[in-house]
Amino acid sequence: MEIKKVGIVGCGLMGSGVAEVCAKTGYKTIVREISEEALKKGESRILKSLDKAIEKGKATAEQKKQALDNLSFTTKLEDLKEVDLVIEAAVENMEEKKKVFKTLDGLCPPHTIFASNTSSLSIVEMGSVTKRISKILGMHFFNPVPVMKLVELVKPITISEEVFETAKKFALSLGKTAIIAKDTPGFIVNLLLIPYLLDAVRAVESGVATKEDIDTGMTMGCGHPMGPITLLDFVGLDTTYFIAEAMYQEFKDTRYAAPPLLKTMVLAGYNGRKVGRGFYTYQ
Ligand code: CAA
């Protein structure tokens, strides 16, 4: 089957990036958020990113116009009833995701494929509330979506080969490189990234070095584009904490146990760049 129309659930940091990339590639893309305010915020994030792409020579004004022509916005989940593919990028909460997929299952035609951008939650569990468990997979994008070239395709044991191949073809059409992982918490990237980020917090906590020197160590010593503490602020301390908790609950391995300092900062609301304060402060 061919994907022509895509529905994106959630227009936060990830959803807006996924919507932008789909629309830029030429897919009719409809984005749903829960409130007009959240939609406006997401829409302006997309506009800003398209302008930055032009400024960096990665897109033309004509491509921006085409992308915007392909995009539409709604607060109603019902408006996604005619899409061929749903990419859910709502909050990392299993109950919320199940609610979304259950509702969409009753609205969308049988051929519609469901994908979740979850970083750590079980795809099979999300699919279990629908009547299309053979048509759900994980499509895990990376932040910033228009820049990062990777998509992790999460292949649950329940998916049909034909659906998976269609989803893979779609991911490749976005200009991304696809890697395939089992439906297991953290998939490939977070299985490795989360312990690294938690260890960096432990290093700050135990006074091994300053956060600046830890970051410089990994940027200049290992060629990473960002040091781990800057990356934590970038990903979001709350998001990292949530992923770590989900992985810890599943594996009961202390490598995934969030250090007290991370928990305290999340409780304080110091969630990183998106709120202007994490380990560092931002304008
Ligand atoms: N659209 C298209 N391209 C854009 C763009 C946009 N809006 N904005 C920037 N670019 C391009 C630039 O042209 C540039 O391309 P070239 O390398 O070809 O010149 C490239 O993107 C870098 O842009 P900048 O020069 O503006 O920015 P930078 O050099 O300061 O890099 C960064 C910024 C890409 C964020 C870089 O710091 C980086 O890669 N950081 C690490 C990000 C990372 O690890 N992300 C994954 C987080 S984990 C996750 O998301 C998943 C999870 O589950 C937790």
Side-chain angles (χ1 to χ4, degrees):
M1 74 158 280
E2 205 188 336
I3 289 167
K4 290 189 179 137
K5 233 177 156 181
V6 184
I8 311 288
V9 180
C11 197
L13 219 56
M14 298 304 287
S16 59
V18 177
E20 177 191 331
V21 169
C22 292
K24 259 198 319 207
T25 307
Y27 295 103
K28 287 284 169 206
T29 305
I30 176 158
V31 187
R32 183 262 188 178
E33 251 299 352
I34 48 171
S35 69
E36 286 294 341
E37 194 194 346
L39 263 187
K40 282 271 156 272
K41 240 174 139 173
E43 192 176 350
S44 78
R45 197 179 291 119
I46 293 173
L47 281 170
K48 239 168 113 179
S49 174
L50 286 168
D51 285 338
K52 187 157 181 210
I54 294 175
E55 185 196 312
K56 295 270 174 187
K58 293 279 151 64
T60 61
E62 181 55 30
Q63 284 168 324
K64 175 185 169 186
K65 187 184 169 305
Q66 268 173 18
L68 294 178
D69 286 347
N70 282 333
L71 274 169
S72 56
F73 298 88
T74 182
T75 52
K76 297 193 200 96
L77 216 42
E78 305 91 88
D79 291 341
L80 271 61
K81 66 176 185 290
E82 282 170 357
V83 303
D84 305 306
L85 168 70
V86 171
I87 304 175
E88 171 277 317
V91 286
E92 274 294 84
N93 176 304
M94 180 57 86
E95 291 318 306
E96 283 305 313
K97 288 181 192 291
K98 281 183 177 170
K99 251 192 251 168
V100 165
F101 283 126
K102 195 173 167 52
T103 307
L104 286 172
D105 194 40
L107 293 168
C108 294
H111 77 268
T112 305
I113 298 173
F114 288 175
S116 174
N117 179 56
T118 183
S119 343
S120 55
L121 300 174
S122 161
I123 302 298
V124 164
E125 188 173 345
M126 288 173 214
S128 67
V129 297
T130 73
K131 294 191 179 71
R132 61 181 86 207
I133 199 150
S134 65
K135 290 187 180 138
I136 184 164
L137 77 155
M139 246 186 221
H140 184 211
F141 292 82
F142 292 82
N143 180 25
V145 181
V147 177
M148 304 306 281
K149 293 275 177 263
L150 189 73
V151 179
E152 252 179 333
L153 294 176
V154 183
K155 189 174 185 184
I157 54 171
T158 44
I159 197 163
S160 96
E161 276 307 322
E162 192 191 344
V163 169
F164 189 74
E165 283 310 310
T166 304
K168 186 174 167 191
K169 202 168 137 201
F170 170 81
L172 297 178
S173 78
L174 301 178
K176 304 291 184 196
T177 294
I179 54 175
I180 302 170
K182 280 203 307 192
D183 184 19
T184 173
F187 317 128
I188 299 169
V189 174
N190 281 332
L191 191 74
L192 302 174
L193 179 65
I194 295 297
Y196 162 65
L197 296 180
L198 299 181
D199 277 347
V201 178
R202 288 185 190 104
V204 173
E205 203 170 35
S206 62
V208 168
T210 62
K211 56 185 185 296
E212 290 83 1
D213 279 359
I214 291 169
D215 275 347
T216 303
M218 295 312 287
T219 51
M220 303 202 67
C222 294
H224 291 192
M226 285 174 167
I229 302 297
T230 303
L231 184 56
L232 262 160
D233 277 358
F234 186 71
V235 169
L237 273 67
D238 50 346
T239 306
T240 306
Y241 179 73
F242 183 87
I243 301 170
E245 277 291 290
M247 295 176 76
Y248 182 69
Q249 287 312 321
E250 185 69 22
F251 297 125
K252 300 287 185 302
D253 181 332
T254 51
R255 275 186 300 168
Y256 306 107
L261 177 59
L262 181 63
K263 185 173 179 183
T264 304
M265 291 186 70
V266 172
L267 288 172
Y270 300 166
N271 287 329
R273 193 189 277 213
K274 63 189 167 191
V275 296
R277 180 169 188 174
F279 280 94
Y280 297 100
T281 51
Y282 302 86
Q283 292 300 334

